């Protein structure tokens, strides 16, 4: 293989896709043992598809999509799983004395030399995306050796089942490990094990949408559930009442926390595992794509020394991520920040984080009372669930603390009514609230396959109703990177209500939601639908996605 050993940074600068300044920033930001290409992708300086195009054109290395590629499964015996994972490659086919492999980094000449020496073949290289290679490794190397035995055999004695779900080398243990690993690699937020009348369906929620991953015979349900219960320390003999547990494992060098919930259904226990990546770092507020006005208002709210800032939205709308981003912004050695959470989703250095534990009586209210005696400047409460917690939060804000928390309501303005309904006096709500942020997540248009299209008449009408104008929109045509959906990843849309003197007087006078909304409109509040449509115009998402989560008033 006589390829020029040139550095990827130089190739990108020569191609005009990267400036020298961006290259220097990437080299400075690059972590030890991290590839430069990975750093450039993280910083958003280049997309993976453009990176591949440069390598394909400059080096003459072909690109291959593994989404439906007929990979020769016998080759997994030639290239070890450890080598495939370490070097991010997958063998494709064998012709004569040549072995064709797809690699994320085709300029990793050490890996190519290792492969040539270990296999005895001449190596021909193709480029593939990181997602493609990871999914292929999981799919072809993850096959359980004894799966045929597992699929074909009915359970025998109780002792045999006990051995099957505890022996680390047993097929069912390997299967459960594969299901969790595949969910993590596909960026799933939840893994569903759904028992049906004649089969068991495994579904992953990716970018907010559930999709079926695999199906198994019904007789495997009890073994899969038993294995998950053992991992999460649940009562394996109890299947008539709901149970909650937790699994902590290491995957690809990251610590993953799984919140496990079991629910008895007519066809057996349904299991849902929520995936929390404890190794993830909080998102920088500047990279959250907040509208400039919303960003300015949010920063002003969280930089006040006292008051309550509430985030609202349904489960899974990214409220916690926004809270953690705000805490990262405020985190400095001269302030004491204490949180009380259920669960602690991200570990933040320099912040004291307290875990709620209802079995020991450590509730939000009890934890909050305790941390107020710890001389905090900033308090973060995972969620305001009851009147007691709400009352303590209000008192904390009125005695010189900044309080950040979440609450479940439909929009920012209805949060005021919710607090009053919880028993908080209107004058206390008015005095303590600094602002309310309503948030939703919409799917992001896949950057690898997005294309410009003319806006439909219906879309133009929707935009005109909100005093906005649009001619073209962006949509993903579907590619291997996004599993042919046209979407990859998610982005937040926000609605930020600043509680100023006028709105405080309205709250104390028990004004209606409509009156408060009219006041918010006069003050230039950007509502969810408006922020979403502006993100459509900027090419981040689609009109359908915005209308799915934000209803026009």
């Amino acid at each position: 293989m006589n390829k020029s050993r040139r550095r990827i940074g130089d190739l990108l600068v020569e191609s005009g896709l990267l400036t020298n300044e961006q290259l220097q920033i990437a080299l400075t930001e690059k972590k030890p043992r991290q590839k430069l290409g990975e750093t450039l992708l993280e910083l958003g300086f280049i997309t993976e598809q453009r990176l591949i195009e440069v390598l394909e054109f400059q080096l003459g290395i072909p690109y291959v999509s593994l989404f439906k590629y007929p990979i020769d499964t016998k080759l997994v015996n030639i290239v070890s799983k450890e080598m495939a994972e370490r070097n991010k490659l997958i063998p494709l086919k064998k012709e004569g004395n040549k072995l064709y492999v797809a690699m994320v980094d085709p300029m990793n000449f050490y890996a190519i030399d290792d492969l040539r020496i270990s296999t005895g073949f001449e190596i021909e290289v193709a480029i593939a995306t990181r997602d493609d290679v990871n999914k292929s490794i999981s799919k072809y190397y993850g096959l359980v050796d004894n799966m045929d035995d597992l699929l074909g055999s009915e359970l025998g004695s109780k002792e045999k089942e006990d051995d099957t779900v505890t022996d680390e080398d047993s097929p069912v243990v390997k299967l459960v490990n594969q299901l969790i690993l595949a969910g993590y690699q596909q960026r799933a937020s939840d893994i569903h094990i759904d028992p049906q009348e004649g089969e068991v369906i495994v579904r992953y929620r990716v970018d907010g949408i559930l999709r079926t991953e695999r199906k198994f015979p019904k007789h495997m349900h009890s073994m899969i559930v038993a294995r998950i219960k053992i991992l999460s320390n649940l009562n394996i003999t109890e299947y008539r009442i709901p149970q909650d547990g937790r699994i902590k494992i290491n995957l690809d060098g990251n610590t993953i926390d799984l919140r496990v919930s079991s629910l008895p259904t007519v066809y057996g226990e349904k299991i849902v595992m929520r995936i929390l990546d404890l190794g993830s770092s909080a998102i920088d507020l500047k990279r959250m794509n907040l509208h400039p006005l919303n960003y300015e208002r949010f920063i002003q709210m969280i930089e006040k020394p006292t008051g309550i800032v509430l985030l609202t939205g349904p489960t899974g709308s990214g409220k916690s991520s926004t809270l953690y981003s705000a805490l990262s912004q405020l985190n400095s050695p001269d302030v004491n920040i204490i949180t009380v959470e259920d669960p602690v989703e991200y570990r933040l250095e320099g912040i004291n984080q307290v875990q709620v534990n209802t079995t020991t009586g450590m509730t939000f209210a009890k934890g909050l009372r305790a941390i107020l005696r710890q001389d905090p400047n900033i308090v973060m409460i995972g969620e305001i669930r009851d009147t007691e917690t709400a009352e303590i939060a209000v008192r904390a804000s009125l005695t010189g603390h900044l309080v950040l928390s979440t609450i479940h309501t439909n929009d920012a303005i209805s949060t005021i009514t919710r607090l009053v309904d919880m028993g908080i006096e209107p004058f206390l709500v008015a005095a303590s609230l600094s602002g309310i942020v309503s948030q939703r997540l919409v799917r992001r248009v896949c950057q690898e396959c997005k294309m410009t299209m003319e806006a439909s008449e219906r879309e133009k009408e929707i935009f005109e109703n909100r005093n906005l104008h649009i001619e073209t929109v962006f949509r993903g045509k579907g590619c291997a990177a996004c599993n042919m959906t046209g979407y990859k990843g998610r982005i937040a849309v926000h609605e930020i209500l600043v509680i100023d003197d006028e709105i405080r007087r309205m709250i104390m006078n028990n004004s209606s939601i409509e009156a408060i909304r009219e006041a918010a409109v006069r003050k230039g509040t950007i509502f969810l639908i408006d922020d979403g449509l502006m993100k459509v115009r900027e090419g981040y998402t689609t009109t359908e996605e915005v209308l799915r989560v934000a209803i026009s008033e």
Side-chain angles (χ1 to χ4, degrees):
M1 210 183 122
N2 298 317
K3 296 284 190 294
S4 172
R5 300 196 175 207
R6 299 167 68 197
R7 293 183 302 180
I8 193 167
D10 297 331
L11 289 175
L12 292 168
V13 172
E14 282 176 24
S15 306
L17 293 172
L18 200 67
T19 65
N20 275 310
E21 292 76 18
Q22 288 175 322
L23 178 58
Q24 292 309 315
I25 292 169
L27 289 170
T28 306
E29 295 281 330
K30 191 166 80 74
K31 298 168 190 167
R33 291 189 290 183
Q34 186 180 38
K35 304 282 186 187
L36 178 61
E38 293 174 15
T39 308
L40 292 169
L41 292 174
E42 276 183 14
L43 294 171
F45 289 161
I46 189 169
T47 66
E48 192 170 17
Q49 200 61 43
R50 298 305 296 273
L51 184 62
I52 286 170
E53 286 170 8
V54 169
L55 293 173
E56 192 174 14
F57 177 74
Q58 295 280 1
L59 303 177
I61 300 173
Y63 163 68
V64 60
S65 170
L66 303 179
F67 186 62
K68 290 185 178 178
Y69 193 92
I71 291 173
D72 185 352
T73 54
K74 294 174 185 173
L75 295 180
V76 297
N77 298 319
I78 296 175
V79 180
S80 70
K81 181 180 182 182
E82 188 270 333
M83 176 174 277
E85 287 180 332
R86 186 178 72 245
N87 298 307
K88 298 298 177 190
L89 58 85
I90 187 83
L92 300 175
K93 61 181 179 179
K94 179 169 67 75
E95 289 182 358
N97 70 331
K98 289 183 179 179
L99 178 67
Y100 291 79
V101 295
M103 299 180 70
V104 172
D105 180 9
M107 300 177 75
N108 186 348
F109 300 104
Y110 294 110
I112 294 168
D113 288 342
D114 282 351
L115 201 56
R116 180 173 52 78
I117 293 165
S118 64
T119 63
F121 289 99
E122 288 300 315
I123 307 301
E124 289 292 328
V125 177
I127 314 171
T129 65
R130 180 172 297 276
D131 273 357
D132 259 6
V133 171
N134 283 338
K135 287 174 186 173
S136 297
I137 290 172
S138 178
K139 180 178 179 181
Y140 293 103
Y141 284 93
L143 295 171
V144 174
D145 299 333
N146 305 5
M147 187 55 74
D148 290 340
D149 298 336
L150 187 62
L151 292 173
S153 65
E154 294 292 336
L155 286 177
S157 65
K158 179 72 171 63
E159 290 76 14
K160 181 181 175 183
E161 181 178 347
D162 290 344
D163 291 341
T164 301
V165 297
T166 54
D167 181 4
E168 291 296 324
D169 292 323
S170 74
V172 71
V173 169
K174 291 181 181 178
L175 173 63
V176 170
N177 292 344
Q178 287 162 25
L179 293 177
I180 295 171
L181 178 61
Y184 173 71
Q185 288 178 338
Q186 293 184 36
R187 301 173 292 104
S189 60
D190 300 88
I191 301 173
H192 290 241
I193 313 290
D194 291 336
Q196 303 296 316
E197 187 173 8
E199 62 186 358
V200 183
I201 298 174
V202 178
R203 296 188 293 170
Y204 292 160
R205 187 178 294 281
V206 180
D207 295 337
I209 305 297
L210 269 175
R211 64 166 184 248
T212 300
E213 177 70 13
R214 298 178 74 170
K215 294 182 179 180
F216 297 108
K218 179 70 173 180
H219 76 265
M220 289 179 61
H221 175 252
S222 60
M223 288 189 289
I224 294 171
V225 170
R227 177 58 187 169
I228 293 170
K229 281 186 167 185
I230 287 170
L231 287 172
S232 51
N233 293 317
L234 298 181
N235 184 348
I236 196 171
T237 61
E238 181 57 77
Y239 51 86
R240 296 162 297 181
I241 59 172
Q243 295 186 70
D244 293 299
R246 185 159 296 156
I247 304 171
K248 198 173 188 178
I249 54 174
N250 283 301
L251 292 176
D252 291 349
N254 293 320
T255 304
I256 310 300
D257 198 34
L258 297 166
R259 273 191 288 168
V260 181
S261 170
S262 75
L263 179 72
T265 71
V266 290
Y267 294 124
E269 282 182 282
K270 173 179 168 64
I271 301 284
V272 175
M273 294 182 278
R274 165 68 57 88
I275 301 175
L276 304 170
D277 188 350
L278 299 180
S280 295
S281 56
I283 305 165
D284 185 346
L285 274 177
K286 291 176 182 173
R287 295 173 63 186
M288 284 188 64
N289 301 106
L290 279 160
H291 186 279
L293 178 62
N294 280 343
Y295 178 77
E296 182 186 334
R297 288 178 170 178
F298 188 55
I299 292 294
Q300 286 174 354
M301 288 190 313
I302 64 174
E303 288 186 345
K304 287 183 179 178
T306 62
I308 299 178
V309 177
L310 289 176
L311 272 89
T312 181
T315 302
S317 60
K319 300 186 297 297
S320 296
S321 296
T322 304
L323 269 185
Y324 283 119
S325 302
L327 288 179
S328 296
Q329 179 89 9
L330 299 168
N331 191 9
S332 66
D334 57 347
V335 294
N336 180 20
I337 303 177
I338 308 181
T339 75
V340 53
E341 309 168 58
D342 183 24
V344 174
E345 294 187 23
Y346 299 95
R347 305 292 167 87
L348 299 178
E349 194 172 340
I351 292 178
N352 307 286
Q353 295 173 275
V354 177
Q355 172 82 47
V356 166
N357 188 345
T358 51
T359 57
T360 60
M362 180 64 167
T363 61
F364 275 114
K366 187 171 282 189
L368 188 50
R369 278 200 202 89
I371 64 179
L372 289 175
R373 294 192 288 272
Q374 293 280 320
D375 185 33
N377 300 97
I378 300 167
V379 175
M380 192 271 266
I381 311 164
E383 185 183 344
I384 292 178
R385 295 178 179 173
D386 52 46
T387 303
E388 187 181 10
T389 309
E391 286 173 347
I392 301 169
V394 168
R395 284 204 299 274
S397 72
L398 295 175
T399 53
H401 304 89
L402 173 65
V403 179
L404 306 175
S405 188
T406 69
I407 192 167
H408 284 285
T409 56
N410 288 330
D411 58 21
I413 296 171
S414 61
T415 303
I416 297 166
T417 311
R418 171 80 176 122
L419 288 171
V420 173
D421 287 345
M422 289 176 83
I424 310 299
E425 293 291 341
F427 74 90
L428 288 175
V429 174
S432 59
L433 265 185
S434 293
I436 306 162
V437 181
S438 181
Q439 178 170 317
R440 300 290 188 279
L441 290 178
V442 292
R443 289 185 292 171
R444 186 194 284 260
V445 173
C446 177
Q447 299 300 299
E448 311 292 348
C449 64
K450 78 174 182 180
M451 53 193 289
T452 309
M453 299 176 67
E454 186 179 350
S456 67
E457 291 303 316
R458 175 62 181 145
E459 282 179 309
K460 289 177 182 177
E461 183 186 330
I462 290 166
F463 273 76
E464 284 168 10
N465 288 340
R466 306 300 300 182
N467 297 316
L468 296 168
H469 178 72
I470 197 166
E471 289 295 335
T472 58
V473 293
F474 291 90
R475 282 190 171 79
K477 61 182 178 181
C479 65
C482 60
N483 276 333
M484 307 308 289
T485 61
Y487 298 98
K488 185 179 180 185
R490 287 190 287 179
I491 189 172
V493 293
H494 301 91
E495 171 181 306
I496 297 183
L497 178 68
V498 178
I499 309 296
D500 60 8
D501 291 341
E502 182 186 348
I503 292 181
R504 282 195 175 91
R505 282 194 297 272
M506 298 178 81
I507 294 171
M508 285 191 283
N509 294 332
N510 286 318
S511 298
S512 66
I513 285 180
E514 289 73 20
I516 296 174
R517 183 181 295 279
E518 287 170 13
V521 170
R522 287 197 303 273
K523 295 171 190 301
T525 300
I526 299 170
F527 293 96
L528 280 173
I529 183 83
D530 301 317
D531 191 38
L533 294 178
M534 282 188 273
K535 284 184 167 65
V536 172
R537 196 167 58 182
E538 291 166 19
Y540 288 117
T541 187
T542 61
T543 313
E544 295 88 347
E545 276 296 293
V546 173
L547 295 179
R548 182 172 63 84
V549 300
I551 300 168
S552 179
E553 298 82 14

